[in-house]
Amino acid sequence: MRQLFVFVCFLMLLSPSLKAWETLHIFADDNAIPKNWLDENGIPQGINIEVLQEVTRRTGIEFTYSFVPWNRAYESARKGLGGIIGLSKTQERQITFDYSQPMYFDELVFVTSRDNVFSFTGLDNMRGYTIGVKRGASYGDDFELARELGLLSILESPDRAGQMLMLSQGRVDAVLLSPGKIAFASVMASNDWLTDHLDEFVIVSPAYKLDPNYLGIPKILGKSHLIAPINTALAEIFEDGTHERIVKRVTDAAVRHIQSSPPQVN
C-alpha cells in the first residue's frame, strides 16, 4: 500500500492540471486596449490577460503583472526581470527572448488626412513619407529595414494624439496605429479637437499587416522551459474557440469603454 501511495503522489506531481507550477512575472503595457490595460480600479483587463487566465486554468502556471508604459515594460523584460506580453517578433529580439506561439494578432493601419488619402500597396511606395509611430514599439523586420534604409522618416513619440494633430498640420504624412479601429477610436476620443474633426482623418485601406503578438521570456530569466506547456494551452485555446470568444467579448467591451470614458492614449 505504501508503494501504491507513493506512485499515486508521483503521478499527481506529473499532472499539469494538478502540479503547482512556478509563477512567471509579466510586464505589460498599461494602456494597450483591447490587449491589456488597467481599469479605473487598477485591475488588469484585456484579451491577453484573459488568455493567460485560461493558460493558468489548463496548466497551473501562475502569472503576476507589472503594468507600466511600453518602453519601461520592454526594458524591464529585456533585463531579465520578467516576461512580457504584446511582443512583436524581430530577428534582433529573438537573440534576447524565447517566444510563445501567437497570443493575439494586431491589425496595423496607417491613418492619414482626408486630403492626402492613399492606398497601401507596400512600404516601397511610401518612400519619403514621414510616419508617426509609438516610441519603443517595433512593427516587424520589414518596417525596421525600411527605417534603416531611409525609405521612411520616422517620428517617435508617446503622444499619439499629438501625432494626429501633427498629421492635421501636414507635419507627418501618416500615423501608424494598432490595433486598427480601436486604436484609432481611442486616439480620437482622447482629444476634444480630434473628436470634433473626426471626419478629417481616414484609415488607409488595406491594412498594413496583421502583426502577431507573443509572450516573450528573456533567456537570462531561466524560465524558458515554460514555453512548451504554455504553447500547448494556447493551441487548445485557439482550437476550441475560446480565443475567438475572448476576442469578441473583450473587443466589444473595449469599444463601449472608449465611448463612455475616453482614455488618455500613449
Side-chain angles (χ1 to χ4, degrees):
M1 290 295 293
R2 176 179 174 82
Q3 289 179 331
L4 178 60
F5 175 77
V6 171
F7 180 70
V8 170
C9 290
F10 178 72
L11 290 179
M12 292 176 66
L13 288 173
L14 289 180
S15 172
S17 61
L18 297 175
K19 182 176 178 181
W21 285 82
E22 58 202 282
T23 298
L24 177 63
H25 191 67
I26 296 291
F27 288 93
D29 191 330
D30 61 358
N31 193 15
I33 299 172
K35 295 185 295 184
N36 35 262
W37 76 95
L38 287 177
D39 68 14
E40 58 274 10
N41 298 313
I43 298 174
Q45 303 288 348
I47 292 167
N48 286 336
I49 304 306
E50 295 203 17
V51 167
L52 289 183
Q53 288 171 351
E54 275 292 320
V55 171
T56 296
R57 189 176 68 81
R58 297 169 192 237
T59 68
I61 300 171
E62 298 284 348
F63 301 95
T64 58
Y65 298 96
S66 290
F67 279 77
V68 293
W70 171 254
N71 229 22
R72 196 187 313 167
Y74 179 76
E75 284 303 309
S76 297
R78 188 183 63 81
K79 293 175 182 176
L81 301 179
I84 186 169
I85 51 178
L87 188 66
S88 296
K89 186 181 289 187
T90 67
Q91 291 182 348
E92 181 181 2
R93 287 179 174 179
Q94 289 180 81
I95 298 172
T96 302
F97 295 94
D98 285 316
Y99 280 78
S100 71
Q101 294 299 310
M103 292 180 61
Y104 178 72
F105 292 85
D106 268 333
E107 184 183 46
L108 273 62
V109 297
F110 290 106
V111 176
T112 190
S113 63
R114 188 167 293 280
D115 295 335
N116 190 35
V117 177
F118 61 93
S119 295
F120 178 73
T121 57
L123 294 177
D124 287 344
N125 293 325
M126 297 178 68
R127 185 184 298 267
Y129 278 43
T130 299
I131 309 296
V133 302
K134 184 175 183 177
R135 180 175 295 162
S138 176
Y139 301 101
D141 289 329
D142 57 340
F143 191 86
E144 296 307 316
L145 179 60
R147 181 206 299 247
E148 182 180 336
L149 294 176
L151 298 179
L152 305 172
S153 296
I154 304 300
L155 187 149
E156 290 190 271
S157 168
D159 183 5
R160 307 299 267 154
Q163 290 181 347
M164 297 297 288
L165 292 171
M166 293 174 68
L167 178 60
S168 72
Q169 299 162 2
R171 297 168 60 190
V172 298
D173 298 297
V175 175
L176 184 54
L177 295 176
S178 69
K181 295 178 181 178
I182 285 183
F184 178 68
S186 296
V187 173
M188 301 306 286
S190 70
N191 178 278
D192 289 342
W193 189 90
L194 292 175
T195 301
D196 292 340
H197 294 79
L198 178 65
D199 292 341
E200 297 180 16
F201 300 88
V202 176
I203 296 177
V204 173
S205 181
Y208 165 38
K209 67 166 67 169
L210 290 178
D211 181 37
N213 282 203
Y214 305 83
L215 172 117
I217 300 180
K219 299 177 189 292
I220 62 174
L221 187 61
K223 293 197 174 188
S224 293
H225 57 279
L226 297 179
I227 290 290
I230 289 171
N231 280 346
T232 298
L234 287 174
E236 294 173 355
I237 290 166
F238 274 87
E239 289 170 5
D240 66 17
T242 301
H243 189 272
E244 183 178 0
R245 290 192 293 273
I246 289 173
V247 170
K248 184 180 187 311
R249 179 170 44 76
V250 176
T251 299
D252 289 347
V255 171
R256 292 194 296 270
H257 171 77
I258 292 168
Q259 292 172 340
S260 63
S261 180
Q264 295 300 310
V265 178
N266 289 332

